[in-house]
Amino acid sequence: MKAYLVKRALSLFITFLVVMSAIFFLARSGADPFAEFIESDPRIPPEAVERLRHRFGLDKPLWQQYLDFMVSMFQGEFGYSVTFRRPVFDVIMVRLPWTLMLLTTSIVISTIGAVFLGAYAAWNRGKKIDLIGTNISLFVRALPHFWLGMVFLLVFGYYYRLFPLYGVKTSGIEYANVFEQVKDLLWHLTLPLATLIIRQIGMYTLYMRGETLEVLGEDFITTAKAKGLSDRTVLFRHAVRTSLLPMVTVTALRFGFMVNGAILTETVFSLPGTGRLIYQAITSGDFFLLQGAFFITSITVLIANLVADILYSHLDPRVRY
Amino acid sequence: MALKRRLTDWRNRLVSSAFIFRHNRAGVIGLVIVLFFISMAIFAPFIAPFNPYERIDRSLLPPGGVYLLGTNDMGQDIFSELIWGARVSLSIGFTVALVVMFIGTTVGVVAGYTGGLVDEVLMRFADIILVLPSIPLMILIAAIMGRHNFYVMILALSVVGWGGLARMVRAVTLSLKERTFVEAARALGASGGHIMAKHILPNTAPLILSSVIYQAVGAMMAEAGLAFLGLGDPTAKSWGMMLHYAQTAGGWWGANGNPMWNWIIPPGLCIALVVLGLMLVGQAVEEIVNPRLRRRR
């Protein structure tokens, strides 16, 4: 068990090193942001540019830069963002909470929703409610979710004026208390969260339904029914518990997809998150920012995978490594 | 003689498959939707009333009248854009599906059959592709290529798409290579390449065929997202690209401060319909390929 996890962690670590190396060389093959943003600025004297280049090691040979980069990443030293004119770490830290909040909230709510709906559909397999449910979730999966966000914005933002059109807080507002602040935040995040949650429920309800169907065919379910347990107990105590296992793995794998979701949703609703930041970093060629953003993203995704492995082995007594 | 027998064999299989397909009502509906959009793409020049790349009137006109869905910020007819958009979206979707099928199958069969270090390295790459979020990776590829055109889009979408299929094909190959017919071929002195091409590949075909439709779905969705972020080819406007312009160039404020539903709704609806159609067809094909699904209904 321990040996397996160590091996798994090691393999993820190697994956991580490969990813970061790839990002480093990919980022450097683009344009030089110092030339674009700082040297072209007439207010900055050439000596200062040289000093900056020296300070961030850009005057060293590429292999030296690469080694420095790999070491400094692990010290939390991500370099300097030329577009924001601030250290990359600060830029990311200001925006990370928004994205994390958006992602964790939507993952938690949609997982609970998908588990209940999927189990319910499986229990009523073949009945009308099941058919309606599976068809709706098929249709939801076909919708591009950023477009779903645009439709929500159009209908609930513009036509009915129920929700704000952009951002995470009402501009120029002074909150009387924390309660007011949270209320304002939730009001702003309702549509983005709804977009992400509906999309994910659509994706994972069918999955949960399939898993539950599989479990419902097992002998221990027949036994539980034969013992005279109520339907609710059979479904939730016996079936759902077992079919939750694969959902754990899927939830971890979702983090990768969720980064995509964050980029698109943050674009549609003009939210100040990291998803949007990655996009800006790439299109402006700000490679320190790009490396930093990719570092945070890939490490989150990889840790989520590791956590899923550990959870899985704890939850499933059949799994022995 | 052998060829003739094989041809009749294929025909019989096709007929029986078509029979199963026809009895899947959802699959038939899906096929009709997909065919509708394919003909829209093929006959775009005849259906579209105007040239979608040409300024024909004032910009941001409301829908109705000569311009069924109004005009965009450049004074181009949105309805014509929509019809021509089918060409771009569908051709990117299907091309990427084919490329992904080729890469995924090759990598999967080679990794599964060869094993050892080759397998280890190829699967490590597949894992990286699967684990990393695809949109940043695609933006990065597009940024490095320096231009945004059809081929760069195909490249970016294919690079991020092959991982899942490769893993699936590898798993099937692993079980196939233990079968007796492969062992027999090896005992007769067949080379690795011959066995992979003649014995293993044909047996993975059903799996690949049903997955290629889902690959097209994935590619179309990813293309829409990428184009929405502004990374599409401006000389070949897809539906995603139209949404990008609607988002950034006037869809939300229009000519008099009102959002233009006629610009925001139709492109997304088209994407959703094509994807829905493809998914329904995919389910029907899966049923043909995997008889277990048929009985479980």
Side-chain angles (χ1 to χ4, degrees):
Chain A
M1 166 76 198
K2 230 175 215 154
Y4 169 80
L5 283 182
V6 169
K7 202 180 144 208
R8 187 86 182 106
L10 204 68
S11 126
L12 282 175
F13 185 69
I14 294 170
T15 308
F16 181 68
L17 290 185
V18 174
V19 167
M20 289 322 290
S21 311
I23 296 302
F24 175 84
F25 289 107
L26 284 176
R28 296 303 154 110
S29 60
D32 178 356
F34 271 76
E36 221 170 289
F37 289 94
I38 297 194
E39 278 167 26
S40 60
D41 191 334
R43 290 169 301 178
I44 303 173
E47 308 88 71
V49 175
E50 275 317 301
R51 261 209 313 280
L52 269 179
R53 276 186 176 279
H54 181 72
R55 193 169 143 217
F56 294 106
L58 290 176
D59 50 353
K60 292 182 192 162
L62 196 62
W63 64 269
Q64 184 79 49
Q65 281 188 43
Y66 171 68
L67 289 183
D68 288 352
F69 160 72
M70 293 304 258
V71 173
S72 59
M73 273 290 152
F74 290 99
Q75 298 165 340
E77 183 55 60
F78 297 150
Y80 184 79
S81 161
V82 288
T83 37
F84 288 88
R85 308 256 162 119
R86 280 168 66 195
V88 168
F89 188 80
D90 298 356
V91 177
I92 292 177
M93 280 309 145
V94 170
R95 291 174 163 233
L96 197 59
W98 297 117
T99 305
L100 284 182
M101 189 163 58
L102 202 63
L103 296 194
T104 42
T105 315
S106 68
I107 285 179
V108 168
I109 296 180
S110 63
T111 306
I112 296 171
V115 164
F116 275 95
L117 290 175
Y120 189 71
W123 187 258
N124 293 297
R125 172 189 178 193
K127 290 186 193 154
K128 206 169 190 178
I129 187 85
D130 176 36
L131 285 178
I132 294 172
T134 40
N135 282 326
I136 289 179
S137 72
L138 192 72
F139 191 71
V140 167
R141 277 201 303 170
L143 301 172
H145 62 286
F146 67 89
W147 177 72
L148 187 64
M150 291 171 88
V151 174
F152 280 168
L153 203 56
L154 189 67
V155 176
F156 302 111
Y158 276 99
Y159 292 150
Y160 288 100
R161 308 214 170 262
L162 290 173
F163 293 101
L165 303 177
Y166 57 86
V168 284
K169 62 183 215 180
T170 315
S171 59
I173 199 171
E174 288 291 329
Y175 297 114
N177 50 40
V178 182
F179 180 70
E180 288 284 309
Q181 191 172 358
V182 171
K183 210 174 84 179
D184 190 50
L185 180 67
L186 281 180
W187 185 54
H188 277 83
L189 289 185
T190 306
L191 290 182
L193 279 176
T195 310
L196 287 171
I197 289 169
I198 288 179
R199 160 96 179 154
Q200 291 180 78
I201 286 187
M203 285 177 87
Y204 299 106
T205 301
L206 281 185
Y207 188 79
M208 180 67 194
R209 176 179 174 271
E211 292 298 332
T212 313
L213 276 183
E214 201 98 337
V215 175
L216 284 177
E218 303 240 357
D219 290 343
F220 71 89
I221 297 292
T222 319
T223 313
K225 281 186 193 163
K227 278 197 305 191
L229 296 181
S230 71
D231 283 0
R232 181 191 293 235
T233 318
V234 174
L235 181 60
F236 288 103
R237 280 281 165 90
H238 295 258
V240 170
R241 268 199 187 180
T242 320
S243 50
L244 269 180
L245 287 169
M247 285 295 280
V248 173
T249 321
V250 172
T251 305
L253 288 176
R254 260 154 78 183
F255 270 87
F257 159 78
M258 287 307 294
V259 174
N260 292 344
I263 295 181
L264 292 168
T265 316
E266 284 169 14
T267 307
V268 172
F269 295 98
S270 321
L271 305 177
T274 3
R276 196 75 193 127
L277 194 67
I278 297 179
Y279 173 70
Q280 280 173 359
I282 297 172
T283 46
S284 64
D286 187 345
F287 57 57
F288 282 125
L289 186 57
L290 177 62
Q291 288 163 0
F294 259 96
F295 179 90
I296 298 284
T297 317
S298 3
I299 214 158
T300 317
V301 172
L302 291 174
I303 288 178
N305 274 280
L306 189 62
V307 169
D309 274 353
I310 296 172
L311 267 182
Y312 201 93
S313 63
H314 271 280
L315 291 177
D316 192 342
R318 287 168 304 188
V319 176
R320 289 278 171 269
Y321 299 110
Chain B
M1 192 61 199
L3 180 74
K4 200 174 167 191
R5 204 174 56 219
R6 192 175 284 182
L7 277 179
T8 18
D9 188 35
W10 269 98
R11 211 193 59 195
N12 288 341
R13 245 191 275 178
L14 203 68
V15 169
S16 66
S17 300
F19 184 76
I20 301 168
F21 193 96
R22 227 182 44 208
H23 283 262
N24 183 327
R25 207 168 41 169
V28 174
I29 295 173
L31 190 66
V32 169
I33 298 176
V34 174
L35 286 178
F36 171 77
F37 279 101
I38 289 180
S39 33
M40 187 162 140
I42 294 174
F43 300 110
F46 306 104
I47 306 170
F50 301 99
N51 179 349
Y53 297 98
E54 203 180 348
R55 172 182 283 276
I56 43 159
D57 205 323
R58 281 183 299 128
S59 51
L60 305 172
L61 284 175
V66 194
Y67 313 113
L68 214 53
L69 291 172
T71 57
N72 66 9
D73 61 312
M74 304 283 283
Q76 297 155 339
D77 181 37
I78 293 178
F79 182 64
S80 305
E81 262 189 305
L82 199 66
I83 288 171
W84 280 84
R87 258 189 191 197
V88 183
S89 292
L90 288 178
S91 58
I92 289 183
F94 288 126
T95 315
V96 171
L98 289 178
V99 176
V100 163
M101 181 175 86
F102 182 75
I103 302 175
T105 314
T106 314
V107 170
V109 170
V110 169
Y113 188 78
T114 321
L117 189 66
V118 177
D119 183 28
E120 189 69 28
V121 170
L122 287 176
M123 283 307 110
R124 189 48 41 79
F125 273 109
D127 280 348
I128 292 175
I129 295 288
L130 280 174
V131 160
L132 275 187
S134 56
I135 287 188
L137 213 56
M138 289 192 288
I139 305 174
L140 198 60
I141 293 169
I144 289 162
M145 300 305 285
R147 318 179 280 283
H148 303 148
N149 63 31
F150 185 78
Y151 300 101
V152 172
M153 289 293 264
I154 302 281
L155 177 80
L157 290 163
S158 309
V159 166
V160 300
W162 60 271
L165 184 63
R167 274 220 162 272
M168 221 156 69
V169 172
R170 174 180 172 271
V172 176
T173 306
L174 281 180
S175 87
L176 283 173
K177 96 174 169 184
E178 303 301 328
R179 300 273 186 86
T180 39
F181 69 90
V182 173
E183 214 171 299
R186 211 177 303 141
L188 285 169
S191 69
H194 179 85
I195 293 176
M196 283 190 255
K198 293 276 167 168
H199 297 282
I200 292 184
L201 199 60
N203 283 295
T204 59
L207 171 83
I208 296 165
L209 268 185
S210 66
S211 89
V212 86
I213 295 170
Y214 292 114
Q215 295 296 339
V217 167
M220 286 192 57
M221 285 292 225
E223 190 274 340
L226 208 53
F228 172 69
L229 290 172
L231 292 150
D233 180 357
T235 63
K237 284 180 286 190
S238 65
W239 292 323
M241 201 80 191
M242 287 176 69
L243 287 172
H244 167 69
Y245 289 125
Q247 171 84 7
T248 56
W252 290 117
W253 53 90
N256 44 14
N258 291 325
M260 297 170 68
W261 62 266
N262 51 302
W263 195 2
I264 294 167
I265 303 285
L269 205 58
C270 285
I271 299 172
L273 279 174
V274 174
V275 167
L276 185 69
L278 282 172
M279 289 200 305
L280 292 176
V281 173
Q283 279 186 346
V285 171
E286 253 176 353
E287 255 181 45
I288 295 172
V289 173
N290 186 353
R292 250 182 79 210
L293 289 176
R294 233 178 294 160
R295 252 184 286 129
R296 276 170 64 184
R297 278 229 157 192

